[in-house]
């Protein structure tokens, strides 16, 4: 089985979408460019969602227009509906992400649609993207728990994942939106979904609220998953999942993978520098343990 692991950096979108302070376009552009320069091949650049719902993503069109795109790097953006797709298309997005949920309550809170309504809404988006040669990624939220409903039946996760895959998404990112899952649960969930969607088309998207994200990634690796979402410095949270921590930190994932014989193409030292810079810019300490360790004077030589 391949030792290459694809990292989808979601810091500039999942990481920043929940920030209350204003972050200017120049900072977002610099963050995206630095992450691509650090060797990441997929850097989520924004979301074409309602600015009333998620104000922090309002300038995603400007961000897309300003980033210097690197050859071989994709810059996905979220598109909940055809209006979002049109914005992404005029911004020359190479990849879009449709985002559904395995929980009815989360779906209503996040995109104001039932699961069935959301799937209907995604169909024309995927059709338009196919016609335009734009790649489509699919997200399923709340795969290991929902902030409103608690445990979610695995069959819901399987059903929504299969629906997005059958619609034409090249990869299904399975989101532990509130970071409650454990490795045993992650393993069972991946096995269930892999019964209907090829494991090569699955990605893990783990938030670290309960400190389980790296262990969940390792369990998913053992099940054959080779694509993971993470956010530099562990930035983030979800506006519709109160209390959820950020995504697992990219530096921590890369450190674990490289130390375990996997390759990612990412430059860990460059990621650590970016992590320190964006954390300073946001006025906080990096959530990444690797960045903290590598910048602590006593152990940085290791
Ligand atoms: P709605 O209010 O039902 O939409 O929102 P509507 O169709 O009734 O339209 C209402 C207004 O919104 C209209 O404007 C539309 O033009 C406008 P008005 O006439 O009032 O001036 N509108 C839009 N504006 C910009 N872009 C659009 C758009 N669509 C309509 N695309 C909607 C429905 C889906 C738009 C809204 O609920 C929304 O934007 N939700 C996005 C929420 C979001 O971004 N959540 C965070 C991302 S998901 C996540 O983080 C989880 C993930 O990381 C994985 C995981 O961790 O699990 C992916
Ligand atoms: Mg997320």
């Amino acid at each position: 089985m391949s030792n290459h692991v694809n990292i989808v950096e979601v810091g500039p979108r999942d990481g920043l979408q929940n920030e209350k302070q204003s972050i200017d376009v120049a900072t977002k552009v610099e963050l995206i460019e630095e992450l691509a320069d650090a060797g990441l091949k997929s850097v989520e650049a924004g979301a074409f969602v309602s600015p009333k719902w998620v104000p922090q993503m309002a300038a995603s069109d400007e961000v897309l227009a300003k980033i210097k795109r690197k050859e071989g790097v994709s810059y996905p953006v979220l598109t909940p509906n055809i209006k979002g797709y049109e914005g992404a298309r005029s911004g020359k997005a190479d990849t879009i992400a449709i985002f559904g949920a395995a929980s009815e309550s989360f779906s209503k809170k996040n995109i104001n649609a039932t699961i069935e309504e959301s799937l209907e809404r995604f169909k024309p988006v995927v059709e338009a993207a196919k016609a335009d040669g734009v790649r489509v990624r699919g997200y399923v939220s709340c795969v290991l728990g929902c902030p409103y409903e608690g445990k979610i039946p695995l069959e819901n996760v399987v059903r929504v994942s299969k629906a997005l895959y059958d619609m034409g998404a090249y990869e299904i990112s399975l989101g532990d939106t509130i970071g409650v899952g454990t490795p045993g649960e992650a393993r069972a969930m991946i096995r269930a979904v892999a019964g209907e969607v090829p494991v090569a088309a699955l990605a893990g998207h783990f938030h670290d609220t309960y400190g389980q994200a790296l262990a969940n990634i390792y369990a998913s690796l053992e099940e054959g998953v080779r694509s993971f979402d993470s956010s530099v410095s562990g930035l983030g949270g979800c506006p519709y999942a109160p209390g959820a921590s950020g995504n697992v930190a990219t530096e921590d994932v890369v450190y674990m993978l490289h130390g375990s014989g996997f390759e990612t193409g990412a430059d860990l030292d460059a990621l650590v520098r970016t992590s320190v810079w964006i954390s300073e810019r946001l006025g906080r300490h990096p959530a990444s343990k690797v960045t903290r360790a590598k910048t602590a004077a006593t152990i940085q030589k290791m």
Side-chain angles (χ1 to χ4, degrees):
M1 185 163 278
S2 166
N3 270 359
H4 177 76
V5 174
N6 182 45
I7 304 277
V8 179
E9 168 63 46
V10 296
R13 194 279 306 170
D14 207 357
L16 297 186
Q17 70 185 7
N18 208 30
E19 283 293 330
K20 298 288 173 283
Q21 59 185 302
S22 99
I23 304 166
D24 56 24
V25 167
T27 301
K28 290 177 181 169
V29 168
E30 190 171 347
L31 177 62
I32 293 164
E33 290 179 352
E34 283 198 12
L35 291 164
D37 285 344
L40 298 168
K41 296 288 179 233
S42 188
V43 183
E44 212 168 60
F48 286 82
V49 298
S50 162
K52 290 192 190 119
W53 287 60
V54 185
Q56 190 62 257
M57 290 292 109
S60 291
D61 53 345
E62 283 179 60
V63 173
L64 265 196
K66 290 203 168 125
I67 47 172
K68 272 192 240 77
R69 301 187 197 200
K70 275 185 93 136
E71 185 139 1
V73 177
S74 72
Y75 300 90
V77 291
L78 265 54
T79 55
N81 53 20
I82 201 74
K83 183 173 169 76
Y85 178 73
E86 281 157 10
R89 185 71 190 129
S90 22
K92 300 196 170 44
D94 56 79
T95 307
I96 58 156
I98 48 177
F99 50 107
S103 148
E104 282 295 353
S105 310
F106 188 83
S107 184
K108 286 292 282 182
K109 293 265 189 204
N110 194 39
I111 52 173
N112 203 20
T114 65
I115 293 173
E116 285 318 311
E117 285 165 351
S118 76
L119 296 175
E120 284 307 310
R121 240 185 229 177
F122 297 149
K123 279 182 193 157
V125 175
V126 177
E127 286 311 315
K130 274 187 200 158
D132 294 335
V134 172
R135 302 209 318 150
V136 181
R137 195 165 191 252
Y139 276 110
V140 183
S141 287
C142 299
V143 298
L144 296 175
C146 166
Y148 310 106
E149 294 181 17
K151 293 266 177 235
I152 295 296
L154 277 187
E155 63 245 39
N156 292 19
V157 182
V158 175
R159 185 171 60 84
V160 179
S161 301
K162 181 170 164 35
L164 298 184
Y165 184 72
D166 289 348
M167 228 180 259
Y170 69 91
E171 181 167 87
I172 307 300
S173 172
L174 298 160
D176 183 11
T177 315
I178 52 171
V180 288
T182 60
E185 291 165 336
R187 188 186 297 283
M189 183 274 295
I190 299 286
R191 277 191 191 167
V193 179
E196 296 290 341
V197 178
V199 73
L202 299 182
H205 177 111
F206 295 105
H207 286 252
D208 204 29
T209 319
Y210 282 76
Q212 306 290 300
L214 281 181
N216 290 339
I217 290 177
Y218 208 85
S220 308
L221 280 168
E222 288 183 337
E223 291 302 310
V225 177
R226 290 292 180 271
S227 183
F228 295 96
D229 303 352
S230 60
S231 110
V232 70
S233 209
L235 297 175
C238 175
Y240 299 100
S245 312
N247 297 85
V248 63
T250 306
E251 311 90 285
D252 297 4
V253 176
V254 166
Y255 179 86
M256 180 184 81
L257 290 171
H258 290 182
S260 305
F262 294 97
E263 56 91 13
T264 64
D267 174 343
L268 183 58
D269 290 337
L271 289 171
V272 166
R273 285 194 296 276
T274 301
S275 175
V276 169
W277 166 75
I278 191 64
S279 295
E280 274 170 8
R281 170 68 188 75
L282 298 174
R284 67 175 62 127
H285 294 295
S288 158
K289 291 209 164 161
V290 168
T291 292
R292 287 181 183 215
K294 281 189 167 286
T295 52
T298 46
I299 46 176
Q300 93 198 69
K301 298 274 180 299
M302 289 186 68

